[in-house]
């Protein structure tokens, strides 16, 4: 769960233990990072603390350019933080490791490969001892799971944006990573396709459990998919607010139209406005962000 | 397949069903891809013939297409020998240009420092008209005719290849790299699995330019260097003997070889980078 970062946390911060699971599969401790630009140092992360239990699903939201994508690169080990530590499964992350799967807003399919071969790509690198046939079976299984059965031998250019994103999801999961990092994967899709994919995410998670960090701009997406939503402040980013979503596990779209969902969206929207500096930090009396009913952690399946 | 509005008739389609292979050959030969360029060539030759006839030009002003068959008939064996010499030297120069061009392109594509360092040098080198370099090279390696010709063909054609490869590699979207890098893949793996195939369409685009440039290089050297060989030398001897139809015949032969080489590249492109071609739908 999320811990407070050096007095930066203004929202309710919870820290619970869950029996039987790794409590902190991802543990980000007081991470600071800055980029060197032509205009000097540009701090992007300033004391970030996030931890995700095994099987957890954390959505990270925040104003544009607040350093969310930097966060994904730190977890993936593509970058090292200037200060602070990133731990994955009890090991400190200092370089890329094969236990991570990534998907981006741009599905980056390799156009010269078929969909099946695209999905098999990570296996060629991390699971070379797996036989070709096993690799293919694994890829076909995942493609069927996301509803792409029959498209295995198509080229990416023959698929729609939503289908490419489904294939990209399969590629991120094919090597059974400990951690799935999704960097605005549904951002470029139309609203209906996006909602379809949200439901697919729940279906996939039921069959192929994963621990996930989702970067998103879509508040509805965050409460529909995640167990916990983390709001980051304006750059340089700190953990500003943490929201526990009461209904973990598979949900259907009706959940987005309940009073509880409206309440959560309200809170999150207010927090984003705070992060952008467009609203005072102290919410109005009737908006006090007490955790919505049932926010105690439930088993996640 | 491109739709052919004018080919199918009920009569042929009945036959087609019986012999699918014969149909595919026949439909290829009557397809727009074959008929249209052939028609264009015929129209071009007719216009050329008309231009010469209407103006009543003698063949020392401009030979007409009808002057060409006798010229080919007289010198056919020379055309075969010289044409072969021109062809192999162009191809060797081009192969060298591909090897060196790809290497330079890789160095510039992967290292920003090298890109900034080498670019002005390359551009300056490319800006020098190769016609001015030809006599220098001819004097430097006097007598080494094959070497000189290959060298010029190489020098004139490696530039577009180097530039396209370097641009292809340096504009690789970071996500492509990240997908593999996050799995701990080595730089070599990233190059073979992603960077190289991703750059192939740009590479072949440049190769199409380079193939005709290499031809120009070969012929410059063949024409300029004394006691030369190849079609360029044949052209030069036509000039010396005031055999104007021969000169035109050489030009047409050069054009023919150029077309052949170009389409060899197109065929290679189809094989190795056919995925980049979008279907017309």
């Amino acid at each position: 769960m999320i811990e407070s970062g050096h007095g930066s946390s203004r929202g309710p911060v919870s820290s619970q233990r869950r029996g039987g699971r790794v409590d902190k599969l991802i543990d980000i401790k007081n991470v600071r990072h800055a980029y060197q630009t032509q205009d000097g140092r540009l701090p992007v992360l300033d004391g970030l603390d996030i931890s995700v239990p095994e099987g957890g699903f954390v959505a990270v939201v925040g104003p544009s350019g607040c350093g969310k994508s930097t966060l994904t690169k730190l977890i993936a080990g593509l970058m090292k933080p200037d200060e602070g530590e990133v731990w994955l499964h009890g090991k400190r992350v200092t370089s890329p490791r094969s236990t991570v799967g990534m998907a981006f807003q741009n599905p980056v399919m390799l156009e010269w490969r078929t969909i099946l071969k695209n999905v098999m790509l990570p296996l060629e690198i991390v699971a070379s001892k797996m036989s070709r046939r096993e690799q293919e079976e694994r890829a076909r299984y995942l493609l069927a799971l996301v509803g792409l059965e029959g498209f295995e031998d198509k080229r990416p250019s023959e698929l729609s944006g939503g289908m490419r994103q489904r294939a990209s999801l399969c590629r991120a999961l094919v090597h059974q990573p400990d951690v799935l990092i999704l960097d605005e994967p549904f951002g470029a899709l139309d609203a209906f396709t996006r909602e379809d994919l949200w439901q697919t995410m729940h279906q996939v998670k039921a069959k192929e459990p994963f621990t996930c960090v989702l970067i998103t701009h879509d508040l509805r997406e965050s409460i529909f998919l995640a167990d916990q939503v983390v709001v980051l402040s304006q750059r340089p980013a700190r953990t500003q607010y943490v929201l526990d979503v009461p209904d973990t596990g598979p949900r259907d779209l009706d959940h987005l139209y309940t009073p509880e969902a409206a309440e959560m969206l309200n809170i999150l929207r207010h927090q984003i406005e705070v992060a952008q500096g467009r609203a005072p930090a102290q919410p109005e009396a009737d908006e006090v962000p007490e955790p919505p009913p049932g926010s105690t952690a439930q088993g996640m399946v | 397949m491109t739709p052919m509005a004018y080919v199918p008739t009920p009569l042929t389609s009945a036959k087609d069903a019986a012999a699918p292979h014969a149909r595919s050959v026949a439909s290829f030969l009557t397809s727009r891809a074959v008929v249209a360029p052939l028609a264009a060539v015929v129209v071009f030759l007719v216009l050329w013939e008309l231009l010469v006839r209407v103006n009543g030009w003698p063949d020392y002003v401009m030979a007409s297409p009808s002057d060409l068959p006798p010229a080919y008939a007289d010198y056919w064996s020379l055309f075969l020998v010289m044409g072969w010499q021109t062809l192999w030297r162009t191809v060797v120069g081009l192969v060298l240009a591909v090897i060196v061009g790809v290497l330079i392109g890789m160095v510039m594509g992967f290292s920003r420092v090298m890109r900034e360092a080498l670019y002005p040098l390359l551009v300056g080198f490319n800006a020098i008209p190769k016609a001015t370099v030809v006599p220098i090279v001819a004097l430097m390696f006097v007598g080494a005719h094959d070497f000189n010709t290959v060298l010029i063909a190489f020098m004139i054609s490696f530039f577009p290849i180097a530039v396209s490869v370097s641009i292809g590699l340096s504009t690789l979207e970071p996500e492509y790299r990240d997908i593999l890098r996050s799995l701990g893949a080595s730089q070599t793996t990233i190059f073979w699995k992603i960077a190289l195939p991703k750059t192939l369409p740009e590479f072949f685009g440049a190769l199409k330019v380079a193939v005709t440039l290499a031809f120009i290089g070969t012929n410059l050297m063949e024409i300029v260097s004394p006691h030369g060989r190849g079609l360029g030398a044949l052209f030069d001897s036509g000039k010396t003997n005031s055999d104007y139809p021969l000169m035109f015949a050489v030009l047409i032969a050069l054009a023919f070889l150029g077309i052949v080489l170009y389409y060899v590249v197109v065929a290679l492109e189809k094989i190795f980078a056919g995925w980049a071609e979008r279907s017309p739908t």
Side-chain angles (χ1 to χ4, degrees), chain A residues 73 78 96-98 100 102 104 106 108-113 121-122 124-126 155 157 171 175, chain B residues 173-185 189 193-195 197-198 275-279:
Chain A
K73 295 202 164 144
L78 294 172
R97 40 180 51 216
S98 55
V100 165
M102 293 184 97
F104 308 94
N106 176 358
V108 285
M109 292 279 116
L110 313 185
E111 300 288 339
W112 54 94
R113 286 170 170 241
L121 180 72
E124 291 167 21
I125 289 155
V126 303
R155 300 260 178 207
S157 57
R171 183 177 56 196
H175 54 299
Chain B
E173 291 92 329
E175 288 103 330
Y176 279 92
R177 232 172 270 252
D178 287 351
I179 290 269
L180 286 192
R181 231 157 52 89
S182 65
L183 297 168
T189 311
K193 291 223 185 268
I194 294 198
K198 187 103 175 56
W275 51 267
E277 203 175 296
R278 295 288 161 109
S279 53

Side-chain angles (χ1 to χ4, degrees), chain A residues 60-80:
Chain A
V60 179
V61 298
S64 290
C66 78
K68 298 191 292 291
S69 291
T70 308
L71 179 63
T72 64
K73 295 202 164 144
L74 292 175
I75 301 172
L78 294 172
M79 287 185 344
K80 266 186 263 181

